[in-house]
Amino acid sequence: MNYATQPTAIRRTVLAASAVSLALLVTACGGGEDKDTKNTKDGAKSEKPAAKALTAAELEKLVVAQGDVKGHEIRKPGKKDVFAPGSVSSDKAECEPVAQALSALPASAPAASVQRLVVQESAAAKKGMPSTKELAGMSEEEAQEATLDSLDITKTMTSLWSYDADGAEQTLATLREAGKKCAGGFTMTVDGEKQQVTKVSEEKLAAGEDAVAWTVGTKQDGSAAETKVVVFRQGTTLAGFSSFNIAAVSRGEAFEQPTAVIEKQAAKLG
């Protein structure tokens, strides 16, 4: 959807008449404004300027905050939680947008952006790691399960990226196309280390005015993992989510999209 409204030309067919007759007609009507002129003026008034990106200050008021999502801790990410722009690349140019979104980076440069790290811990994870004494009283299998239970933590990097004009729409379209082209996988480099993306599987999601959602499978040093990646658009803003569960990664299990976080962010964006 292009937010710059395009005026519609209004045309009128006029029967042939002499210049004198036309002048008399205008005078009889009180010398008022010609309809075509009025329509032209009205058309000009209907034009709207290209939509503007939200500022960083405006995004700060709209991004999810502590207390917004029950059972979730929400805070500003630290330097160790985020990737620096330019630190992520792909061996295939067409897959670069997927690599960026997977890493919680924008697929194209926004006018403004904000991020929050959202953490959800299970009841077992909140108890922390079993003590040495507790582990000693368990079988090897029980100890392994108890340890993994303590790591049942889902971390979601939530980002808001705002664009001028139709930048958000175009960026989302690029992401959708990249997901299709790169479904079979590619190689990405993160901070100098290579990582294999094994699949980009499309998922269903209804959020905002338009959205893309994937499960992205990765493998590094023989260890496989999955990340849920979601990007939806609301007006000139894109909301991005890159989510993984530590225990699920360790177990090689699937996990769900961070639905509660996505729904709350969609509600705040309106």
Side-chain angles (χ1 to χ4, degrees):
M1 181 186 300
N2 193 325
Y3 281 80
T5 302
Q6 300 296 326
T8 302
I10 302 176
R11 297 171 183 257
R12 184 177 60 171
T13 301
V14 182
L15 294 174
S18 67
V20 175
S21 297
L22 181 57
L24 290 173
L25 177 61
V26 170
T27 303
C29 293
E33 188 179 51
D34 180 76
K35 187 176 180 181
D36 279 340
T37 303
K38 183 177 185 298
N39 285 338
T40 301
K41 289 183 178 180
D42 288 344
K45 288 180 180 179
S46 69
E47 286 190 46
K48 295 180 181 179
K52 294 292 184 180
L54 297 180
T55 64
E58 290 172 320
L59 293 179
E60 284 287 350
K61 296 177 181 179
L62 294 172
V63 71
V64 288
Q66 180 62 25
D68 280 346
V69 189
K70 185 177 180 181
H72 294 66
E73 177 191 350
I74 303 176
R75 61 177 173 81
K76 289 185 177 181
K79 289 184 179 180
K80 294 182 179 180
D81 298 317
V82 298
F83 295 109
S87 64
V88 177
S89 61
S90 167
D91 65 333
K92 299 178 181 178
E94 64 268 28
C95 300
E96 189 85 15
V98 178
Q100 298 297 315
L102 174 63
S103 306
L105 292 170
S108 65
S113 65
V114 297
Q115 286 189 313
R116 292 294 184 271
L117 179 61
V118 184
V119 181
Q120 180 187 30
E121 295 182 277
S122 67
K126 289 178 180 179
K127 293 178 181 178
M129 291 281 288
S131 66
T132 303
K133 183 177 180 180
E134 289 173 327
L135 290 172
M138 301 177 186
S139 66
E140 184 177 344
E141 185 177 332
E142 289 173 335
Q144 185 177 13
E145 279 301 305
T147 300
L148 287 177
D149 284 343
S150 69
L151 296 174
D152 189 7
I153 303 169
T154 300
K155 292 188 176 183
T156 303
M157 187 62 75
T158 301
S159 310
L160 293 184
W161 305 303
S162 191
Y163 298 83
D164 285 317
D166 64 349
E169 181 182 1
Q170 294 301 323
T171 301
L172 192 63
T174 298
L175 281 167
R176 177 175 286 110
E177 188 64 21
K180 293 176 180 177
K181 289 181 177 179
C182 304
F186 58 94
T187 299
M188 61 185 287
T189 302
V190 182
D191 287 335
E193 295 186 9
K194 288 189 176 181
Q195 180 172 296
Q196 185 66 35
V197 173
T198 57
K199 66 175 182 178
V200 181
S201 304
E202 186 176 356
E203 290 195 3
K204 292 183 178 180
L205 175 74
E209 296 177 69
D210 194 8
V212 295
W214 310 306
T215 293
V216 180
T218 56
K219 184 177 287 185
Q220 186 174 23
D221 299 328
S223 298
E226 287 189 346
T227 302
K228 300 293 185 182
V229 178
V230 169
V231 180
F232 74 77
R233 181 180 66 82
Q234 186 65 46
T236 61
T237 301
L238 293 181
F241 308 83
S242 183
S243 179
F244 71 96
N245 180 283
I246 298 174
V249 168
S250 301
R251 289 176 170 137
E253 298 176 347
F255 64 101
E256 299 300 316
Q257 292 174 354
T259 306
V261 182
I262 295 170
E263 289 181 347
K264 184 59 182 181
Q265 185 59 82
K268 293 191 75 169
L269 286 173

